[in-house]
Amino acid sequence: MHEYEHGSHGPLAGFTVGVTAARRADELGALLERRGAAVQHAPALRIVPLADDAELLDATKALVGHAPDLVVATTAIGFRGWLEAADGWGYGEELLDRLRGAQVLARGPKVKGAVRAAGLTEEWSPASDSMAEVLERLLGQDVTGRRIALQLHGEPLPGFVEALRDAGAEVVVVPVYRWMPPEDLAPLDRLVDATVARSLDALTFTSAPAGASLLARAQDRGLLPELLDALRHDVLAACVGPVTALPLQAHGVDTVQPARFRLGPLVQLLCQELPSRARTLPVAGRRVEIRGHAVLVDGDLRPVPPAGMSLLHSLARRPGWVVSRADLLRALPGAGRDEHAVETAMARLRSALGAPKLIQTVVKRGYRLALDPAADAKYADT
């Protein structure tokens, strides 16, 4: 964990991170909180098993009747669910027999464990959990005329099946479970609203369907343009890998992704990205770093209420320049027309910062950040 010169708070202290994951959300949230972040969680989808689904039964029968040459297992929970469903239909042993005669590719260590627990042996598994690497491996061998069973994890993988079919393979998709919108949409709506309001600093995605679901919900509520504007300019979209990023990139949203497509590296990436994007200014002899819901004053973390952060952002847009009370009033959420609200919020902001001289009152004109005249250019232009 990174430690600042004057404090042992985590590198994500003062930042708020949204989590859209359905599975492993607790694990991701704990990793973020351990590094100081405030976390807002809303599952963007839920997993619906298809043990009684006709589509899964048809795919199982097709593979029992005509064995595959290759099997791609993409998730441990999905692979186990498929074998359990086949067993329930009376096809368990026959299916395992067909899979034993095929090359098995397992996407990552957890899937490898599920494959071995079933008494099978994988021929290969990527080090990165990457479906892109699995596809590259398949296309690197001649798949013309080969029958490939692809166990899907939720939605069809964009471009994956098409690329194999274009290379001459026969692909049988095995849909073990589907992603559906959450039954309770209220948390997801709150996450959309928080993104639009810029009260999040980053939004994390661990599956492509989660991104698609969030965008679809914003569309249903008439908020898609506002959501996309926030994600393009102010709220960092952090994805666990390139496939996860596709729905966002299709809407022109730039994303960041770790080199290794796992939760730990995703959190480490945020630990680098968010502090590097924070505004840092030399003010009244202090080093002031403005984060999402807090300010570092010479490395000391000072939580600031939302109204105070709104004022501070307005002052920091033109550091050293006077900002009028009328302009600051417009920056206050729901403040109405009474400029006294600015004075109240400003008093609370100064108290929260613990250094009253950071913000100067300019009589009859407004307020300004007391930017040091000999400021280092790297701070002034941050």
Side-chain angles (χ1 to χ4, degrees):
M1 183 184 288
H2 178 78
E3 293 195 358
Y4 290 87
E5 315 83 279
H6 295 279
S8 58
H9 49 75
L12 295 179
F15 294 113
T16 305
V17 180
V19 171
T20 61
R23 291 193 296 128
R24 301 181 70 192
D26 291 347
E27 183 183 346
L28 178 54
L31 286 171
L32 291 165
E33 286 173 350
R34 209 173 298 147
R35 287 156 180 81
V39 174
Q40 183 170 341
H41 174 234
L45 36 80
R46 62 192 161 101
I47 298 167
V48 181
L50 300 185
D52 300 323
D53 190 83
E55 207 178 331
L56 178 59
L57 177 56
D58 288 345
T60 304
K61 283 180 178 176
L63 293 166
V64 166
H66 181 184
D69 301 302
L70 283 150
V71 178
V72 180
T74 60
T75 59
I77 187 174
F79 191 73
R80 283 196 301 268
W82 179 24
L83 297 183
E84 285 165 12
D87 209 36
W89 292 317
Y91 289 108
E93 279 306 316
E94 287 176 278
L95 178 61
L96 276 173
D97 189 54
R98 300 297 182 273
L99 298 183
R100 277 189 201 101
Q103 282 179 259
V104 179
L105 275 62
R107 183 192 66 93
K110 286 193 174 179
V111 196
K112 198 185 331 185
V115 166
R116 291 182 181 180
L120 303 170
T121 307
E122 80 289 346
E123 181 185 88
W124 178 83
S125 179
S128 65
D129 281 2
S130 164
M131 284 305 289
E133 206 175 321
V134 173
L135 181 60
E136 192 180 330
R137 171 86 177 194
L138 287 168
L139 295 177
Q141 51 186 283
D142 185 6
V143 293
T144 308
R146 303 198 79 192
R147 187 168 168 83
I148 300 175
L150 173 62
Q151 174 248 312
L152 292 178
H153 57 296
E155 287 189 348
L157 296 165
F160 197 98
V161 174
E162 292 82 351
L164 290 174
R165 286 180 177 153
D166 288 347
E170 179 192 355
V171 182
V172 180
V173 294
V174 182
V176 181
Y177 49 85
R178 282 206 185 101
W179 303 113
M180 301 284 285
E183 285 179 297
D184 179 7
L185 288 165
L188 184 57
D189 286 346
R190 287 194 290 272
L191 195 66
V192 169
D193 293 341
T195 307
V196 168
R198 276 75 169 170
S199 54
L200 298 181
D201 299 291
L203 196 50
T204 61
F205 299 90
T206 55
S207 73
S213 178
L214 182 91
L215 295 169
R217 184 58 187 160
Q219 174 90 56
D220 289 347
R221 296 180 58 210
L223 291 172
L224 185 58
E226 292 92 334
L227 180 81
L228 292 174
D229 186 66
L231 290 172
R232 286 170 185 153
H233 299 110
D234 300 297
V235 180
L236 178 66
C239 298
V240 78
V243 173
T244 297
L246 287 172
L248 295 159
Q249 289 174 344
H251 283 83
V253 174
D254 289 332
T255 65
V256 295
Q257 302 151 30
R260 291 171 65 238
F261 310 140
R262 297 199 180 154
L263 296 187
L266 177 65
V267 172
Q268 289 305 322
L269 180 64
L270 286 172
C271 290
Q272 296 157 17
E273 288 284 338
L274 288 180
S276 73
R277 290 163 184 252
R279 190 80 188 271
T280 303
L281 297 164
V283 183
R286 307 290 191 94
R287 183 179 186 272
V288 175
E289 183 181 325
I290 303 169
R291 297 189 164 194
H293 62 260
V295 177
L296 289 178
V297 180
D298 285 342
D300 290 328
L301 188 72
R302 312 288 305 194
V304 174
M309 288 307 300
S310 298
L311 294 182
L312 192 56
H313 283 301
S314 294
L315 294 169
R317 276 191 199 100
R318 301 183 76 192
W321 292 65
V322 177
V323 182
S324 71
R325 282 181 176 78
D327 285 345
L328 290 171
L329 183 63
R330 278 193 286 276
L332 280 180
R337 298 180 181 177
D338 184 3
E339 289 188 4
H340 181 66
V342 174
E343 292 168 23
T344 304
M346 189 62 73
R348 287 180 182 151
L349 170 59
R350 282 171 162 156
S351 173
L353 293 173
K357 292 181 181 176
L358 295 179
I359 300 168
Q360 292 176 340
T361 303
V362 181
V363 180
K364 294 185 180 177
R365 290 182 60 205
Y367 299 90
R368 65 183 285 273
L369 274 184
L371 192 72
D372 291 341
D376 187 322
K378 78 171 181 181
Y379 288 160
D381 297 336
T382 297

